[in-house]
Amino acid sequence: MKLYSKILPALLLLILVVAFVVRAGVAQVNLPEELLGTRENISIAGSVIGFGNWKTMSYLASKDEEISKCRVYGFTQQNNGKPLDVIIDDAKMLLLLKNAISTASCFRPAVADLEPGDGAAGGGDFLGVMVIESKEHKCIIGVSYADGFSCGVAYGSGKTMFYSWPLMTLLKEWTGSHGIKLSDDIFDCLSGEKAFKNSKSNFVELSKKIREVGERRGGTTKGAQAGQSPTE
């Protein structure tokens, strides 16, 4: 007990010294006040469509969770007016599905979840739904022609939207095995290919216009050259 009473003050002193050194190290950054950013007072009032069920989807994608099945329903317009309704329970496919909904495979637009929702339920570009299940969790993923996948709901907004090239690849394979052909345009929309191509195209076009305006005014522009991205 006496030994413990002697060690404890020394241990506390060591903790204080380490904390001071770490704090001093952080303070050495010395960023100007205008570069520190601000903390927002978050309010979720006014949410229209709600949030994506990202937590449940993350559980299903984790190594500790075993997906038991995936139900694919809908795609009526591509199936001669009849809804497709199939269950995917092949172990190999379900392992690929885990990867397809992981954080490494999914991409989201830059939309804040805690802002009022946008979009309307049941848009004309609705294709179908996927229901992914394990023993503990279930997550609905909506499939929309123009708005990508929707996490947690059959159809949503930018607050639930995400893209996944692996998930779209699996979906195309599963629907294709039942005679449903999803167009290349649908694939590009849901995989994120179209969003990335549009982003690059828009930036290159804007860069070209800005450069032309600068040259007409007798100035110079640095950075991206006309017709190419800054990394080319």
Side-chain angles (χ1 to χ4, degrees), residues 10-229:
L11 183 61
L12 292 174
L13 179 61
L14 178 62
I15 292 173
L16 289 173
V17 170
V18 172
F20 176 80
V21 171
V22 171
R23 186 179 181 87
V26 172
Q28 289 177 3
V29 176
N30 292 326
L31 283 175
E33 184 72 23
E34 65 271 18
L35 300 183
L36 295 177
T38 59
R39 293 185 179 273
E40 300 287 345
N41 293 321
I42 303 292
S43 172
I44 62 175
S47 174
V48 176
I49 300 240
F51 312 124
N53 194 355
W54 307 109
K55 189 173 184 180
T56 297
M57 196 166 85
S58 179
Y59 283 138
L60 291 166
S62 71
K63 63 179 181 180
D64 299 323
E65 199 85 5
E66 183 176 347
I67 297 176
S68 57
K69 63 180 178 179
C70 175
R71 182 183 182 186
V72 180
Y73 183 88
F75 303 91
T76 305
Q77 295 181 14
Q78 292 78 28
N79 197 35
N80 299 318
K82 299 178 181 180
L84 175 70
D85 193 359
V86 298
I87 300 293
I88 310 298
D89 56 9
D90 179 77
K92 294 179 181 178
M93 287 295 176
L94 296 179
L95 282 175
L96 290 172
L97 178 60
K98 286 176 71 69
N99 173 268
I101 60 173
S102 68
T103 54
S105 297
C106 299
F107 301 89
R108 295 185 60 193
V111 176
D113 281 344
L114 299 181
E115 290 180 353
D118 60 338
D125 55 6
F126 172 75
L127 294 176
V129 295
M130 306 172 69
V131 184
I132 305 174
E133 295 186 50
S134 68
K135 290 183 178 179
E136 302 293 332
H137 299 99
K138 179 173 77 172
C139 183
I140 291 176
I141 295 179
V143 186
S144 171
Y145 169 64
D147 296 326
F149 295 105
S150 291
C151 178
V153 290
Y155 29 72
S157 67
K159 297 155 73 69
T160 62
M161 185 192 307
F162 71 97
Y163 306 109
S164 171
W165 192 93
L167 184 59
M168 186 57 215
T169 299
L170 289 176
L171 181 60
K172 185 174 182 178
E173 180 177 342
W174 295 341
T175 54
S177 66
H178 289 81
I180 296 177
K181 180 174 175 56
L182 299 180
S183 69
D184 292 341
D185 195 38
I186 290 177
F187 184 94
D188 286 350
C189 286
L190 288 157
S191 66
E193 293 275 3
K194 188 171 183 178
F196 297 141
K197 289 177 182 177
N198 286 344
S199 177
K200 179 178 180 179
S201 176
N202 291 339
F203 181 78
V204 169
E205 184 64 25
L206 178 62
S207 174
K208 181 179 179 181
K209 290 181 180 179
I210 291 175
R211 180 178 175 82
E212 290 173 349
V213 170
E215 290 175 347
R216 285 199 298 268
R217 293 178 177 177
T220 60
T221 57
K222 296 181 179 180
Q225 299 296 313
Q228 66 179 155
S229 68

